[in-house]
């Protein structure tokens, strides 16, 4: 499956973002905690304050230009939607990032968890800028930070939480934020809300499927039935490690273990939805996105090399 979805507003927003990045001190890279690899825009190790070369990323970041635009600005890595993964999976990722030398902040922008620590980290990451100003005899100014990430990962929700009130639009579909917008969080920090970015072409088939499953790209770009069948396959693959099929069996009273994802869709359609496979596919995806198929995440980190 190749993702064809690259609407004009994203191309336009990327151009504006590239311009604004010149004024920015700190980049908050917001990823979807369910798929921290597939929603990566920057290499893992670049989020760290460790000596260079300590961390290595298994795969290159999905978006080829973003690392270049960001350059050597301060970086803070955020895995949002913490509530949509299990404790077990969160711990695995926390340990993996720690082994890469990368600090990582888990947040739940819906309920406002992990926000204070994140605000402190963003301010601290910008402190170097004010030190340079002081060294030149200039007065300190608020740190300027931007939230970047794939569509729908929760960037705007996070900004509203950091602000403590709802200022920027945030809703349950990708492509909500269309314009870049600066907001002042406090005397110390100003934040830029940016539209989601996606690469013009997504060559990694597995990543493309996971982005579609998690609703982190636009609806127009994929076939619901293919994506829902892949979701079933993924949950089957993860079952040994995180018991990801328990909630599926509980909800639909149909066990996917012995059959392929597409056959499962057909069987479930017969059992529950009068043979309507498209409706079944959409229901499965909606149930997963609402957390009704369990909170475990769809990606586990690679084994830590010791
Ligand atoms: N369960 C859960 N939902 C969240 C979380 N963060 C955001 N959401 C929800 O996810 C949806 C998308 O959030 P947005 O803030 O609009 O995401 P965005 O990254 O700004 O999206 P675009 O502007 O489209 O790129 C909203 O319905 C939020 O309420 C979270 O941590 N947990
Ligand atoms: Mg937004």
């Amino acid at each position: 499956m190749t993702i064809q979805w690259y609407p004009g507003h994203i191309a336009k927003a990327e151009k504006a973002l590239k311009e604004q990045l010149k004024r920015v001190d700190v980049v908050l890279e917001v990823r979807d905690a369910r798929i921290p690899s597939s929603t990566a825009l920057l290499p893992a190790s670049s989020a760290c304050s460790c000596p260079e070369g300590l961390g290595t990323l298994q795969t290159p970041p999905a978006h080829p230009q973003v690392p270049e635009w960001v350059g050597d600005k301060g970086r803070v890595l955020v895995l949002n939607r913490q509530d949509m993964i299990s404790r077990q999976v969160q711990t695995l990722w926390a340990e993996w990032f720690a082994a890469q030398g990368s600090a990582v902040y888990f947040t739940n922008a819906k309920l406002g968890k992990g926000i204070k620590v994140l605000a402190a980290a963003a301010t601290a990451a910008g402190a170097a800028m004010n030190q340079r100003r002081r060294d030149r005899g200039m007065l300190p100014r608020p740190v300027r930070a931007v939230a970047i990430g794939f569509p729908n990962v929760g960037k705007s929700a996070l900004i509203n939480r950091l602000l403590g009130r709802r200022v920027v639009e945030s809703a349950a579909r990708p492509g909500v934020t269309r314009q870049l917008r600066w907001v002042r969080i406090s005397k110390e920090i100003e934040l830029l809300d940016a539209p989601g970015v996606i690469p013009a072409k997504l060559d990694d088939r597995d990543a493309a499927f996971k982005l579609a499953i998690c609703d982190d790209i636009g609806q127009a770009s994929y076939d619901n039935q293919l994506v829902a069948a892949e979701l079933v396959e993924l949950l089957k693959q993860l079952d040994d490690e995180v018991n990801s099929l328990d909630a599926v069996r509980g909800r639909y009273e149909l066990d996917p273990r012995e059959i392929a994802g597409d056959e499962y869709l057909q069987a479930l359609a017969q059992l529950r939805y009068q043979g309507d496979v498209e409706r079944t596919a959409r229901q499965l995806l909606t149930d997963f996105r609402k957390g009704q198929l369990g909170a475990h995440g769809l990606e586990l980190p690679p084994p830590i090399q010791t």
Side-chain angles (χ1 to χ4, degrees), residues 5 9-10 30 33-34 79-84 107-113 147-161 166 168-179 193-197 215-216 289-291:
W5 192 72
H9 82 88
I10 290 223
V30 187
R34 293 170 297 179
L79 298 199
N80 187 47
R81 299 187 177 277
Q82 173 195 31
D83 54 306
M84 302 187 94
T107 54
N108 171 351
K110 197 163 184 177
L111 292 184
K113 291 193 176 157
I148 63 165
F150 273 73
N152 211 32
V153 296
K155 301 175 295 299
S156 299
L158 208 55
I159 286 181
N160 285 335
R161 280 293 170 184
R166 203 183 148 85
V168 293
E169 200 190 343
S170 159
R173 57 177 200 281
V176 171
T177 304
R178 296 288 173 115
Q179 306 278 339
D193 187 21
V197 292
D215 205 14
D216 293 339
R289 291 165 184 169
K290 288 192 170 160

Side-chain angles (χ1 to χ4, degrees), residues 17-306:
L17 175 63
K18 198 176 147 190
E19 261 323 292
Q20 285 293 320
L21 269 167
K22 294 178 188 154
R23 307 181 57 228
V24 159
D25 311 304
V26 177
V27 172
L28 306 185
E29 187 199 0
V30 187
R31 300 190 193 176
D32 185 330
R34 293 170 297 179
I35 46 171
S37 292
S38 297
T39 49
L41 289 176
L42 297 166
S45 57
S46 63
C48 74
S49 52
C50 57
E52 235 173 88
L54 244 186
T56 47
L57 190 76
Q58 307 295 315
T59 48
H63 197 298
Q65 281 91 42
V66 171
E68 190 188 310
W69 297 344
V70 170
D72 60 359
K73 295 180 194 303
R75 295 173 189 185
V76 178
L77 175 60
V78 185
L79 298 199
N80 187 47
R81 299 187 177 277
Q82 173 195 31
D83 54 306
M84 302 187 94
I85 62 171
S86 64
R87 280 271 152 181
Q88 181 197 358
V89 172
Q90 180 178 333
T91 305
L92 289 172
W93 278 109
E95 286 170 358
W96 186 80
F97 278 108
Q100 310 299 306
S102 298
V104 61
Y105 297 86
F106 287 91
T107 54
N108 171 351
K110 197 163 184 177
L111 292 184
K113 291 193 176 157
I115 303 298
K116 267 198 195 133
V117 198
L118 174 62
T123 313
M129 172 277 298
N130 270 325
Q131 191 53 51
R132 280 197 300 274
R133 287 177 69 88
R134 268 189 225 100
D135 293 347
R136 282 188 252 136
M138 294 157 80
L139 285 174
R141 63 155 173 77
V143 169
R144 295 184 195 130
V146 61
I148 63 165
F150 273 73
N152 211 32
V153 296
K155 301 175 295 299
S156 299
L158 208 55
I159 286 181
N160 285 335
R161 280 293 170 184
L162 284 160
L163 268 168
R165 62 203 149 90
R166 203 183 148 85
V167 172
V168 293
E169 200 190 343
S170 159
R173 57 177 200 281
V176 171
T177 304
R178 296 288 173 115
Q179 306 278 339
L180 286 100
R181 177 152 172 221
W182 280 101
V183 292
R184 179 175 273 225
I185 304 271
S186 67
K187 283 204 300 291
E188 281 89 41
I189 189 157
E190 285 170 10
L191 249 173
L192 177 63
D193 187 21
V197 292
I198 51 170
K201 221 167 121 229
L202 262 170
D203 292 326
D204 182 337
R205 172 195 174 277
D206 291 347
F209 268 116
K210 288 180 208 158
L211 289 164
I213 290 168
C214 294
D215 205 14
D216 293 339
I217 46 172
Q219 180 81 52
S221 56
Y222 53 83
D223 175 325
N224 286 318
Q225 295 178 35
L226 285 178
V227 171
E230 185 71 13
L231 168 61
V232 175
E233 286 300 327
L234 273 170
L235 295 174
K236 278 163 62 182
Q237 284 166 27
L238 289 166
D239 192 45
D240 281 349
E241 280 170 280
V242 297
N243 300 322
S244 42
L245 289 180
D246 288 358
V248 177
R249 280 193 292 263
R251 189 164 179 84
Y252 306 127
E253 291 165 344
L254 187 65
D255 196 332
R257 264 177 308 183
E258 305 301 327
I259 50 176
D262 57 340
E263 292 167 336
Y264 187 75
L265 273 192
Q266 303 276 351
L268 188 59
Q270 290 306 329
L271 185 71
R272 292 281 172 109
Y273 302 103
Q274 293 89 41
D276 187 340
V277 182
E278 177 65 19
R279 193 173 144 216
T280 310
R282 274 190 266 122
Q283 191 61 49
L284 256 163
L285 291 172
T286 304
D287 285 351
F288 174 78
R289 291 165 184 169
K290 288 192 170 160
Q292 279 159 349
L293 301 185
H296 18 71
L298 291 179
E299 280 176 351
L300 301 177
I304 297 170
Q305 318 271 322
T306 45

